[in-house]
Amino acid sequence: MAAALLRRGGRALQGFWRSQHSKTEPKPEALSGFNFELTEQQKKFQDTARKFAREEIMPVAAEYDRTGEYPVPLIKRAWELGLMNVHIPESCGGLGLGSFDACLITEELAYGCTGLQTAIEGNSLGQMPVIIAGNEQQRKKYLGRMTEQPLMCAYCVTEPGAGSDVAGLQTRAEKKGNEYVINGQKMWITNGGKANWYFLLARTDSDPKAPASKAFTGFIVEADTPGVQIGRKEINMGQRCSDTRGIVFENVIVPKENVLLGEGAGFKIAMGAFDRTRPLVAAGAVGLAQRALDEATKYALERKTFGRHLVEHQAVSFLLAEMAMKVELARMAYQRAAWEVDMGRRNTYHASIAKAFSGDIANQVASDAVQIFGGSGFNSEYPVEKLMRDAKIYQIYEGTAQIQRLIIAREHIGKYKK
Amino acid sequence: MAELRALVGVKRVIDYAVKIRVKPDKTGVVTDGVKHSMNPFCEIAVEEAVRLKEKKLVKEVIAVSCGPKQCQETLRTALAMGADRGIHVEVPESEAERLGPLQVSRVLTALAQKEKAGLVLLGKQAIDDDCNQTGQMTAAMLDWPQGTFASKLTLEGDKVTVEREIDGGLETIRLKLPAVVTADLRLNEPRYATLPNIMRRTTRQPGRWEATNPSLHRPPSVVLQPLPVQVYHCTYS
């Protein structure tokens, strides 16, 4: 009956309405106004990353967490699928993806295991200074090799005595002829023991009054340079399969060709790298939070108490609702931050908001997920305790929650000052 | 390198993981806004064709899809998996619901002859209608031998050995090319589309772009993205 009406009444109208409301059609890239639609290519990227995470990462994540073993097979596989090193420009054999596309992939990988995602992220962070500030030779040499083999690299800035206070770095680099001699100690370096090369920030201006923006220099250091002493693998609370180490640099000689931009430019490069990678870290936190939400919801639909499923109890459903709110908002925050930097704009304000918010909610959501699981949540046979342990670092690395607040306050108040 | 061309049919269906809902007027299922993807058996067929190409037993893999404009997404997935060219036989959305195995096999027959394909690879059935007819009908129309429910495929010269999963167990048959083979679940494990392949197939490859019109019922549509995809228009009775 309805079909007959359609045939009679309005093929034309039907066609018109279909074109207005066709949701399954891929829309062209929106150039005006807000748009929450992904392009077809982005959806395909997301699909590949999602499939990899669900089918290959998730079954083995718990075991890697238990043993702390570096997930070499997974990293190789991610490299083969093109999920690693996505920021490397096409001229060096990479995909040259922007932050937004990279964030989509990161969120999917983090859903599977944030330990693996951090290991892969360590690459992006280490490469970013070279991508934004490297000259042609440096890029071809150090980025090119990453696309030829599944190699890792690391970002060496933090020290035992200086984390947030980057200006307080003690590692020194003294110029001697055509070389620099580096002495110092770095700590909490992701991929420290697996990296092929490091981006290193060291102080080149020995004048203690020199401003941070001029006192530091960025170097590319090959990991097998004599004098590089790699410490033991640190046993952490969460993301245990990621390789975190202290590294000592004792009279490490670096040729001047490996200086990024020039002496004194290091601080700006190091911070510039963060603007690109902060949205990615936020995306990782959102991936973890989404996983926690999914696991908790599935459990709440199965488990019964007092004669009803958990979801039918308002206390639990309200908890899930709040978790959902946080995840959705955090997602939009990182998407905005990534989009801003891809548009070529300074995204510090949005990136800090995204990272601060995502880190906080990831912890809250993971903790709530454990709560919903009840006694089982506390137990290692269930997936959520790992999520809670993994989540904590998101409030710490790549700028602590407190540093983010300092940045946000500065940016926000700066808008109001004349 | 062999001169063999493989024609692979791919169908755009509702994704297997989606919860199907019946339309309120009971005329069908809800498809608007619902996630669609390539039929899993078609993925297996594409994978097999690409593997044969990698073994240098097949020269060119041509993916075909019949349906409305959205089928081009499915074709692009096939291209990202390693197919060389895509052919989209465009059927207007209004008529797409009436498209069934009989019509599709007529199209495949015409294309197999036009493209001089030596091997037609299809999925054994589509997960939306479960017809399990297109492969068999196509073989009959082409008057080619058929190896359906293939769980193993071996190409040797001008013969193809097919191990089939049938009710009684496994049956091995040998067919002389050209032939039609339909893929069953255990034929292979389809690869992922790697990110570089996705990028190459959705943006950069200029590819051959033709819009030809064998049935002359409608002017060809203009599509602006460069793709190695050809579009044919057809109406059918």
Side-chain angles (χ1 to χ4, degrees):
Chain A
M1 162 66 170
L5 272 174
L6 280 174
R7 270 196 291 277
R8 253 191 310 140
R11 265 289 158 77
L13 191 63
Q14 189 189 358
F16 172 75
W17 282 116
R18 266 226 183 89
S19 69
Q20 295 294 304
H21 296 285
S22 174
K23 289 168 227 152
T24 48
E25 267 183 45
K27 297 256 186 304
E29 313 251 354
L31 296 168
S32 56
F34 257 60
N35 179 25
F36 290 92
E37 189 73 52
L38 297 175
T39 63
E40 199 194 308
Q41 185 177 273
Q42 286 168 333
K43 282 188 200 150
K44 286 210 154 73
F45 284 169
Q46 200 183 40
D47 278 344
T48 297
R50 185 169 294 186
K51 194 169 166 187
F52 175 63
R54 310 286 161 113
E55 290 178 17
E56 296 193 42
I57 302 181
M58 274 169 66
V60 294
E63 188 56 31
Y64 278 114
D65 178 69
R66 235 186 314 273
T67 59
E69 188 193 332
Y70 199 63
V72 176
L74 287 176
I75 288 179
K76 268 212 180 72
R77 192 80 183 103
W79 182 85
E80 278 166 23
L81 292 173
L83 296 169
M84 247 169 78
N85 307 326
V86 294
H87 299 277
I88 293 181
E90 290 171 49
S91 57
C92 303
L95 295 175
L97 295 187
S99 281
F100 193 97
D101 291 6
C103 280
L104 291 177
I105 296 166
T106 302
E107 189 190 330
E108 297 301 329
L109 294 179
Y111 188 101
C113 174
T114 45
L116 174 70
Q117 179 260 323
T118 293
I120 292 177
E121 210 51 53
N123 262 23
S124 294
L125 185 55
Q127 291 159 10
M128 205 51 84
V130 183
I131 293 172
I132 59 180
N135 62 34
E136 202 51 48
Q137 294 96 298
Q138 289 164 336
R139 288 160 128 214
K140 277 241 150 50
K141 184 171 180 192
Y142 292 101
L143 300 178
R145 64 170 75 160
M146 308 295 285
T147 53
E148 283 160 22
Q149 290 175 60
L151 297 174
M152 308 307 285
C153 65
Y155 182 89
C156 290
V157 170
T158 303
E159 295 179 358
S164 299
D165 183 17
V166 177
L169 288 185
Q170 297 288 309
T171 303
R172 301 172 323 275
E174 282 159 35
K175 187 147 190 212
K176 290 218 167 93
N178 274 344
E179 293 163 344
Y180 286 84
V181 180
I182 299 186
N183 277 287
Q185 210 186 345
K186 296 291 182 187
M187 192 58 189
W188 311 125
I189 306 304
T190 302
N191 292 334
K194 308 286 173 186
N196 176 269
W197 54 268
Y198 309 114
F199 164 74
L200 178 89
L201 196 67
R203 198 181 181 97
T204 34
D205 192 331
S206 46
D207 177 6
K209 291 214 196 65
S213 52
K214 299 219 175 63
F216 296 97
T217 307
F219 297 91
I220 304 171
V221 181
E222 301 257 10
D224 57 6
T225 313
V228 174
Q229 291 156 30
I230 298 172
R232 61 144 197 238
K233 176 184 154 78
E234 297 294 338
I235 316 285
N236 290 324
M237 176 177 164
Q239 297 191 7
R240 290 158 50 92
C241 68
S242 172
D243 186 89
T244 316
R245 300 189 192 232
I247 307 177
V248 175
F249 294 84
E250 195 175 313
N251 294 326
V252 173
I253 297 178
V254 176
K256 75 170 191 329
E257 289 77 35
N258 281 19
V259 169
L260 282 167
L261 272 191
E263 225 177 278
F267 190 79
K268 208 160 147 217
I269 298 172
M271 296 301 115
F274 276 154
D275 277 345
R276 300 277 175 106
T277 54
R278 228 160 241 172
L280 289 163
V281 176
V286 172
L288 184 150
Q290 181 68 56
R291 173 85 187 273
L293 178 58
D294 284 355
E295 297 285 352
T297 313
K298 275 189 247 168
Y299 185 79
L301 283 165
E302 284 167 11
R303 175 87 177 174
K304 274 185 147 170
T305 187
F306 297 100
R308 295 183 288 161
H309 290 290
L310 286 187
V311 276
E312 293 169 72
H313 294 272
Q314 207 169 58
V316 174
S317 68
F318 273 22
L319 209 53
L320 288 170
E322 280 163 21
M323 288 159 77
M325 283 195 267
K326 290 168 184 168
V327 173
E328 291 293 329
L329 292 171
R331 182 171 294 126
M332 286 198 262
Y334 87 65
Q335 287 178 336
R336 175 72 186 268
W339 182 83
E340 289 282 336
V341 76
D342 284 346
M343 290 288 119
R345 301 201 275 257
R346 187 170 171 273
N347 72 336
T348 312
Y349 176 69
H350 288 104
S352 286
I353 288 179
K355 201 269 175 183
F357 189 72
S358 318
D360 289 350
I361 64 105
N363 277 274
Q364 292 162 15
V365 171
S367 177
D368 288 342
V370 172
Q371 190 67 25
I372 289 175
F373 269 72
S376 315
F378 201 63
N379 179 265
S380 54
E381 293 279 312
Y382 293 82
V384 283
E385 59 84 26
K386 172 179 182 285
L387 299 177
M388 191 169 159
R389 286 185 288 109
D390 287 348
K392 188 59 196 164
I393 194 65
Y394 282 108
Q395 285 178 309
I396 300 172
Y397 67 13
E398 285 232 23
T400 59
Q402 288 68 34
I403 291 291
Q404 302 301 343
R405 281 161 171 79
L406 278 177
I407 297 174
I408 297 166
R410 184 191 70 208
E411 297 286 318
H412 166 74
I413 293 165
K415 287 190 208 164
Y416 286 71
K417 282 189 176 154
K418 293 279 177 275
Chain B
M1 175 91 119
E3 288 304 307
L4 190 59
R5 273 198 192 76
L7 192 73
V8 186
V10 297
K11 187 177 180 188
R12 179 176 180 267
V13 298
I14 296 180
D15 188 82
Y16 75 90
V18 167
K19 261 206 172 72
I20 310 290
R21 285 180 298 138
V22 177
K23 283 200 278 206
D25 59 11
K26 309 264 198 279
T27 54
V29 298
V30 176
T31 52
D32 255 353
V34 167
K35 178 160 193 246
H36 284 66
S37 46
M38 192 191 292
N39 182 36
F41 295 109
C42 299
E43 272 180 18
I44 296 174
V46 173
E47 174 64 24
E48 195 61 25
V50 173
R51 285 191 192 184
L52 288 173
K53 191 178 87 163
E54 285 168 354
K55 286 192 210 147
K56 305 234 195 300
L57 296 167
V58 158
K59 183 172 144 200
E60 195 185 15
V61 176
I62 307 163
V64 185
S65 193
C66 301
K69 209 174 333 122
Q70 295 92 319
C71 289
Q72 293 194 11
E73 277 174 45
T74 317
L75 279 173
R76 273 192 279 263
T77 308
L79 293 170
M81 282 172 74
D84 298 292
R85 267 195 297 139
I87 299 180
H88 174 207
V89 181
E90 186 160 359
V91 173
E93 191 134 7
S94 43
E95 290 168 43
E97 266 154 53
R98 291 193 288 143
L99 194 60
L102 185 60
Q103 293 80 14
V104 172
S105 39
R106 284 203 189 125
V107 170
L108 290 176
T109 305
L111 279 172
Q113 286 163 341
K114 182 178 190 297
E115 296 290 334
K116 300 199 187 16
L119 183 63
V120 173
L121 271 167
L122 305 170
K124 71 170 178 178
Q125 66 199 57
I127 60 170
D128 52 5
D129 54 20
D130 284 328
C131 283
N132 181 12
Q133 295 167 19
T134 309
Q136 292 86 336
M137 283 182 180
T138 311
M141 286 181 200
L142 285 165
D143 198 21
W144 289 2
Q146 57 182 264
T148 52
F149 314 111
S151 62
K152 199 150 159 226
L153 188 89
T154 325
L155 263 181
E156 281 145 358
D158 66 342
K159 302 256 189 343
V160 54
T161 308
V162 179
E163 195 177 85
R164 311 176 55 221
E165 287 192 8
I166 57 172
D167 293 341
L170 292 171
E171 182 191 51
T172 310
I173 57 173
R174 200 144 90 225
L175 314 169
K176 192 154 181 286
L177 291 176
V180 174
V181 176
T182 69
D184 206 329
L185 188 64
R186 280 160 280 273
L187 182 59
N188 60 49
E189 176 86 40
R191 65 192 58 192
Y192 299 76
T194 67
L195 265 59
N197 275 347
I198 293 172
M199 275 189 82
R200 250 172 252 139
R201 300 302 189 170
T202 57
T203 50
R204 280 169 297 163
Q205 263 224 1
R208 278 135 50 203
W209 174 246
E210 298 158 34
T212 59
N213 197 345
S215 56
L216 283 170
H217 283 280
R218 216 155 295 186
S221 67
V222 178
V223 180
L224 298 169
Q225 308 111 302
L227 286 173
V229 174
Q230 297 155 279
V231 176
Y232 295 89
H233 286 266
C234 83
T235 54
Y236 57 93
S237 47

